[in-house]
C-alpha cells in the first residue's frame, strides 16, 4: 500500500461521516502511506463499575481498494482494553453499524474481576425474501486479570472447534494448578495442559453462530467466577469443594483411555471370530486402519493417554490466595 498513499481528497472524503458523528481526525497519528487513519480519543460517560468514563479510539484501515476495516479500541480507567472490528466497502456504513453497539458491551465485572471482551461485527443476510439481514456480534478474544494469574480466551474465529483458555502466572507468583482446575465445572471444560508460558484448556461450544457467542460469554463468566473464588482460598479448599466433580473428571479420562485401548484390542480379536464373507463386522475390521487414521486427523486434540491421578488436595504452595478487588 506504500505505493498508493492516501491523498488529501481521499482523506477529506473518508473523514466526512466520522466528522458528522463528532469525531476528529488525528493526522499526526495517521499513516498515509499505509492508508490508515486514526481518530482522536473520545470519551463516553460510564454508568457501570468501570470508572467515570470509557475512552474510544477509532482506526480506519484500507488494506485494498474495495475493503475498509474499522477498529474501535475501548479503554477503561483501570487500563483494560478491548476492540470491535467491522469490515465492508463503505466507511459511512461501517460507522453507522459500529455506533449501534454500546461501548459498555466490552466490559463486565464478575466477583471483582473485570472481563475485557473483543468482538467482530459480521453481517448476516436474511434468508427470507424482503426481510433485512442483521449484524452478529461475534466474540473474538477475552482477557481477565485475576490477581496472581491472567486469563486469555481465544474464541477460534472462523473455526467450528473449541475455544482455548490460557492461564498465565504473573512473575514471581507461584501457580501449579491441578489439571482438573477447570474441568470440575462440567463436560464443556477439558483438563489443563502445561504449555510454554502457562496452562491451556479447551472449551467445548456450539459449532456456529448465533449460538456460539452467547454460550461462550456464559461459560466465560462461569470460568472467571470459579477462578476468582478458588484462587482467593487456600489450595486445599479446592479439593473439599469439589470431591464428586473431581472423581467425575477421573472417570471421563478413564473412559477415553478405555475406548482407545478397546479399539486397539479389537483388531487382533477379529482374527479369532468366524465372520461371514458379507458381514458388516468383517468390512469394518478390514477398513478400521484408514478409519482410525481419518479420525486421528479430525480430532482437535488427542486424549491424554496417561492414567489420571487420584484426586487429592493440591499442595499449599500451588498458589497464594489473593482476593481480587
Amino acid at each position: 500500500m506504500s505505493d498508493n498513499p492516501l491523498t488529501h481528497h481521499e482523506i477529506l472524503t473518508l473523514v466526512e461521516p466520522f466528522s458528522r458523528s463528532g469525531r476528529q481526525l488525528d493526522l499526526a497519528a495517521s499513516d498515509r502511506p499505509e492508508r490508515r487513519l486514526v481518530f482522536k480519543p473520545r470519551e463516553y460517560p460510564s454508568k457501570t463499575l468501570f470508572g467515570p468514563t470509557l475512552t474510544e479510539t477509532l482506526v480506519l484501515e484500507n488494506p485494498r481498494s474495495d475493503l475498509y476495516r474499522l477498529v474501535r479500541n475501548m479503554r477503561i480507567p483501570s487500563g483494560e482494553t478491548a476492540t470491535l472490528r467491522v469490515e465492508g466497502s463503505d466507511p459511512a456504513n461501517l460507522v453507522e453499524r459500529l455506533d449501534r453497539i454500546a461501548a459498555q458491551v466490552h466490559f463486565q465485572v464478575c466477583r471483582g474481576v473485570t472481563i475485557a471482551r473483543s468482538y467482530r461485527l459480521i453481517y448476516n443476510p436474511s434468508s427470507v425474501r424482503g426481510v433485512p439481514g442483521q449484524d452478529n456480534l461475534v466474540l473474538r478474544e477475552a482477557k481477565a486479570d485475576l490477581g496472581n494469574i491472567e486469563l486469555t480466551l481465544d474464541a477460534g474465529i472462523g473455526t467450528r472447534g473449541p475455544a482455548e483458555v490460557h492461564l498465565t502466572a504473573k512473575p514471581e507468583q507461584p501457580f501449579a494448578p491441578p489439571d482438573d482446575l477447570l474441568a470440575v465445572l462440567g463436560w464443556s471444560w477439558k483438563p489443563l495442559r502445561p504449555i510454554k508460558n502457562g496452562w491451556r484448556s479447551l472449551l467445548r461450544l456450539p459449532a456456529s453462530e448465533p449460538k456460539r457467542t452467547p454460550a461462550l460469554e456464559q461459560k466465560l463468566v462461569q470460568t472467571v467466577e470459579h477462578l476468582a473464588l478458588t484462587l482467593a482460598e487456600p489450595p486445599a479448599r479446592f479439593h473439599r469443594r469439589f470431591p464428586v466433580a473431581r472423581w467425575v473428571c477421573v472417570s471421563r479420562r478413564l473412559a477415553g483411555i478405555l475406548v482407545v485401548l478397546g479399539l486397539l484390542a479389537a483388531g487382533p480379536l477379529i482374527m479369532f471370530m468366524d465372520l461371514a464373507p458379507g458381514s458388516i463386522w468383517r468390512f469394518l475390521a478390514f477398513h478400521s486402519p484408514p478409519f482410525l487414521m481419518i479420525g486421528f486427523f479430525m480430532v482437535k486434540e488427542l486424549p491424554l493417554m496417561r492414567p489420571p491421578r487420584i484426586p487429592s488436595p493440591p499442595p499449599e504452595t500451588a498458589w497464594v490466595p489473593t482476593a481480587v478487588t
Side-chain angles (χ1 to χ4, degrees), residues 93-240:
N93 175 258
L94 298 185
V95 179
E96 293 177 5
R97 293 167 61 189
L98 183 143
D99 281 341
R100 297 191 193 110
I101 308 301
Q104 289 81 2
V105 75
H106 292 286
F107 303 100
Q108 182 177 1
V109 175
C110 300
R111 287 189 177 272
V113 178
T114 300
I115 304 174
R117 302 180 297 204
S118 296
Y119 293 91
R120 281 184 64 184
L121 199 57
I122 299 178
Y123 183 72
N124 181 26
S126 175
S127 58
V128 180
R129 188 173 182 179
V131 177
Q134 62 180 4
D135 280 321
N136 283 341
L137 199 58
V138 179
L139 185 61
R140 296 174 52 250
E141 184 184 65
K143 294 184 177 182
D145 186 339
L146 289 124
N148 49 1
I149 68 168
E150 292 182 349
L151 178 148
T152 302
L153 181 138
D154 182 352
I157 269 289
T159 68
R160 301 174 65 87
E164 293 188 4
V165 177
H166 295 261
L167 302 180
T168 306
K170 293 184 178 179
E172 301 181 359
Q173 288 287 345
F175 187 58
D179 59 4
D180 58 353
L181 179 65
L182 299 182
V184 295
L185 291 174
W187 176 257
S188 296
W189 289 263
K190 297 199 71 173
L192 288 173
R193 290 189 178 187
I195 56 176
K196 182 178 180 180
N197 297 320
W199 291 263
R200 183 187 70 153
S201 174
L202 294 182
L203 189 55
R204 294 184 179 93
L205 298 165
S208 58
E209 301 293 346
K211 295 181 179 181
R212 185 178 175 91
T213 288
L216 183 51
E217 290 173 336
Q218 179 184 6
K219 288 180 171 57
L220 174 62
V221 169
Q222 289 179 257
T223 303
V224 170
E225 289 183 340
H226 167 71
L227 287 174
L229 180 58
T230 301
L231 299 180
E233 299 176 334
R237 175 64 177 159
F238 169 75
H239 181 71
R240 295 196 295 270

